[in-house]
Amino acid sequence: MRYNIAIDGPAGAGKSTIAKRLAKELGAIYVDTGAMYRAMAYYFIQKGVDKDDIDTITKLCKDVEVSISYENGEQQVILNGENITGFIRQEAVGNMASATSVYPVVREKLVELQRQLAARENVVMDGRDIGTVVLPDANVKIFLTASSKVRAKRRFDELTAKGEKCDIDAIEKDIIERDHRDMTRETSPLKQADDAVLLDSSDMTIDEVVDRMKQLVKEA
Ligand code: C5P
């Protein structure tokens, strides 16, 4: 049977770790849509565009080609033929992605690509608008969240483990700002779909969240 699973939620809720694990256990394809918005943002940064310059962003959207492929099961993001997967995780790219994903011209392109992928394969797709806009008919919809404190702590631990110096309060402030922008934008704001199941992972381990999701998939 063909199926699609939509996982939405704010930054740092653990969506990608969990969606990736779930996809592996189900034998489905994991699609990280945030990486696509990051790819566009990376392109805008490379071109030296200001995040508010909608005219130039609109023009650039006409020439840019984003696609994904898989290498050893890991999603790769291809921008105009070049694999840029290694360059899109910096905070600057995330912030530019959050700022430029508000533009319908940016979203249209990527939503089309996301729908094509889901039409071809069983997918576990994560993002902000998957259950509400991209795949309104997904078989299972999950809204995964956690408190901003817990999300900031997870991000802090992740960066510290990589040897990066960072400040937990600044991270939390950034998370709150990004959530606010994602939730209040006009086009496809981050919100729980009416038929999505809310999962708060603040006090749950990764295993517990994945098990709960597998149970939801089974029930569906
Ligand atoms: O999930 P990630 O942090 O990689 O996403 C980067 C940014 O891309 C988010 O802050 C959000 O603004 C945007 N995004 C979006 N819709 C999606 C996925 C990501 O607007 N489906």
Side-chain angles (χ1 to χ4, degrees), residues 11 15 32-35 37-38 89 94 97-98 101 107 126-130 178 182 185:
K15 294 188 302 291
D32 170 3
T33 62
Y37 288 93
R38 285 170 182 268
R89 288 292 139 204
S98 167
S101 63
R107 305 199 69 83
D126 80 7
R128 304 292 189 289
D129 59 339
I130 311 305
R178 200 182 290 191
D182 286 349
R185 69 181 176 216

Side-chain angles (χ1 to χ4, degrees), residues 31-40 66 68 110 113-114 117:
V31 182
D32 170 3
T33 62
M36 300 175 186
Y37 288 93
R38 285 170 182 268
M40 295 289 262
V66 174
I68 63 168
L110 300 181
L113 169 64
Q114 291 154 13
L117 289 163

Side-chain angles (χ1 to χ4, degrees), residues 80-95:
N80 291 336
E82 190 196 343
N83 188 336
I84 54 149
T85 313
F87 307 121
I88 58 172
R89 288 292 139 204
Q90 300 104 316
E91 295 299 298
V93 179
N95 286 329

Side-chain angles (χ1 to χ4, degrees), residues 21-175:
R21 274 267 303 272
L22 183 67
K24 198 166 180 196
E25 295 196 20
L26 297 174
I29 304 267
Y30 166 55
V31 182
D32 170 3
T33 62
M36 300 175 186
Y37 288 93
R38 285 170 182 268
M40 295 289 262
Y42 178 74
Y43 184 59
F44 300 142
I45 292 173
Q46 269 194 325
K47 294 284 174 191
V49 188
D50 187 277
K51 65 178 174 41
D52 299 319
D53 184 355
I54 175 68
D55 290 343
T56 309
I57 286 178
T58 303
K59 273 191 208 115
L60 286 175
C61 279
K62 295 207 174 83
D63 322 319
V64 70
E65 204 52 68
V66 174
S67 63
I68 63 168
S69 65
Y70 289 86
E71 235 171 59
N72 302 321
E74 291 287 324
Q75 176 182 297
Q76 308 293 309
V77 192
I78 317 296
L79 175 77
N80 291 336
E82 190 196 343
N83 188 336
I84 54 149
T85 313
F87 307 121
I88 58 172
R89 288 292 139 204
Q90 300 104 316
E91 295 299 298
V93 179
N95 286 329
M96 186 66 156
S98 167
T100 52
S101 63
V102 302
Y103 300 125
V105 64
V106 173
R107 305 199 69 83
E108 274 157 24
K109 232 185 158 84
L110 300 181
V111 168
E112 178 59 28
L113 169 64
Q114 291 154 13
R115 286 188 178 142
Q116 282 171 6
L117 289 163
R120 275 203 307 267
E121 313 267 1
N122 294 336
V123 297
V124 176
M125 188 176 282
D126 80 7
R128 304 292 189 289
D129 59 339
I130 311 305
T132 50
V133 174
V134 181
L135 304 176
D137 297 327
N139 305 69
V140 178
K141 296 183 188 177
I142 293 155
F143 194 84
L144 183 66
T145 187
S147 71
S148 59
K149 278 241 157 353
V150 167
R151 290 186 283 135
K153 172 78 169 59
R154 287 177 186 160
R155 183 80 185 127
F156 175 83
D157 290 345
E158 202 181 298
L159 290 171
T160 311
K162 279 196 230 161
E164 285 181 40
K165 260 201 163 0
C166 52
D167 173 61
I168 193 159
D169 294 329
I171 294 176
E172 188 181 1
K173 187 169 161 273
D174 210 53
I175 282 180

